[in-house]
Amino acid sequence: MNASAMYSPHEAETEARRIVFRTKGHRQGPITRLISPSDLGQLLKPFVFLDYGVIPSSGGKLFGIHPHSGIATLTVPLTGGFEYFDTTGKAGRVPAGGLEWMKAGSGAWHDGSIYSEDPLEFFQLWLALPEDWELTPAESQYVERSEVQSVGPVRVLLGHYEGASSTIKAPVGINYFHVELADGEVWRFKPPVGHTVGWLAVNAGSALLPELASTGELVVLDSSDGVIEIEAHGSTSLVVGTAVPHPYPLVTGYYSVHTNSDALERGELEIARIGEELRAAGRLR
């Protein structure tokens, strides 16, 4: 182990969290779905979808224009870059290291395409919103690479870590980090009190927890107050999420996730209304 890895005596006395489930998800073309509401989303909510992909630099679509309501999406390009458009009025380019956040709330549509010469490697996370957020007006936020705070090997995508914070206006009680470790490096993290939901997904190298999580795997961690302790095997890149459990059912539509059927109906009516506006403007057939 890396002798420079430091931790407090309290952390040393706390048993490290263990893997209780692992998956390589379901691949469709260049994209692998690692979490969805019909499976791990029920266990890991508020984390309800997670996609990982590597798409060639073809200049083609990242995803076609489509709607959401009741959720927020966070797209994290690791290499390459993509262009985005959404019906909050935001549009632009997101290079590797930047972030694109869209809180769909009461309803929004978004679109994306690849502009970079390098392949686009990315994670896209969907979060179920709490009851008092799910029908609020849609908002989007682009975070420049220079604005993503980091401490050591950790980039803070959502939430807080060791004095660093995400600038994204997300619900409280959620942490989401990108962690890059050299071979043999050890990282230890004590999640905040109540963050009994925990998982990580490895896109390069392997992580020993003490069980090994390999490239392409998402692993679910036990529901406890233990530390997350990782030793890198090879140059390792991963994302890790912890959260207070989402205390609501997942009521799902085709593109939407809400806490109840009335909210789902209202969200779907709003995205249908916006869809008609897009058709009138020639953006939808």
Side-chain angles (χ1 to χ4, degrees):
M1 290 189 177
N2 188 330
S4 66
M6 301 298 291
Y7 58 100
S8 71
H10 173 74
E11 287 179 347
E13 295 167 2
T14 306
E15 185 176 354
R17 291 171 76 163
R18 292 181 171 272
I19 297 171
V20 296
F21 185 82
R22 62 178 70 228
T23 181
K24 288 197 170 183
H26 304 282
R27 184 169 180 172
Q28 184 171 6
I31 297 175
T32 300
R33 176 144 294 172
L34 294 164
I35 301 173
S36 66
S38 61
D39 47 53
L40 290 180
Q42 296 291 337
L43 181 64
L44 297 176
K45 59 186 183 179
F47 307 104
V48 293
F49 283 95
L50 181 68
D51 286 346
Y52 168 75
V54 181
I55 302 177
S57 54
S58 61
K61 290 289 185 182
L62 170 59
F63 45 78
I65 189 167
H66 63 280
H68 297 297
S69 66
I71 56 99
T73 64
L74 178 59
T75 308
V76 181
L78 303 177
T79 64
F82 69 95
E83 295 177 319
Y84 71 91
F85 155 84
D86 64 57
T87 55
T88 72
K90 295 286 183 68
R93 287 188 166 188
V94 187
L99 307 174
E100 190 245 341
W101 164 265
M102 189 187 75
K103 185 203 77 176
S106 60
W109 292 64
H110 68 159
D111 197 359
S113 60
I114 301 167
Y115 73 83
S116 62
E117 294 182 359
D118 297 324
L120 175 68
E121 180 183 12
F122 70 98
F123 281 101
Q124 186 175 73
L125 176 71
W126 300 14
L127 295 172
L129 295 174
E131 191 173 31
D132 56 346
W133 283 57
E134 65 182 322
L135 291 174
T136 54
E139 296 178 355
S140 63
Q141 188 177 356
Y142 165 59
V143 182
E144 299 273 359
R145 180 188 181 97
S146 61
E147 297 173 339
V148 180
Q149 296 186 18
S150 62
V151 177
V154 177
R155 291 199 310 140
V156 183
L157 310 178
L158 295 174
H160 310 277
Y161 175 76
E162 299 291 334
S165 298
S166 171
T167 61
I168 290 173
K169 302 169 187 176
V172 298
I174 300 170
N175 281 333
Y176 182 44
F177 308 144
H178 177 218
V179 182
E180 293 182 293
L181 302 169
D183 183 31
E185 188 175 0
V186 174
W187 178 63
R188 295 180 179 88
F189 170 59
K190 181 67 170 70
V193 174
H195 280 227
T196 55
V197 173
W199 57 272
L200 62 89
V202 182
N203 63 293
S206 298
L208 192 65
L209 292 112
E211 305 94 338
L212 198 65
S214 301
T215 300
E217 281 194 305
L218 179 140
V219 297
V220 178
L221 305 179
D222 68 82
S223 178
S224 75
D225 62 355
V227 299
I228 297 173
E229 180 176 313
I230 295 169
E231 179 183 356
H233 283 208
S235 181
T236 299
S237 172
L238 56 93
V239 289
V240 57
T242 70
V244 175
H246 183 72
Y248 307 98
L250 301 180
V251 181
T252 60
Y254 194 73
Y255 290 107
S256 303
V257 179
H258 284 273
T259 67
N260 60 78
S261 56
D262 178 64
L264 175 63
E265 182 178 2
R266 292 169 65 186
E268 291 190 330
L269 285 172
E270 176 63 6
I271 60 179
R273 184 193 67 78
I274 297 170
E276 288 304 312
E277 291 184 349
L278 290 170
R279 287 185 182 89
R283 292 199 61 93
L284 281 180
R285 294 180 180 179

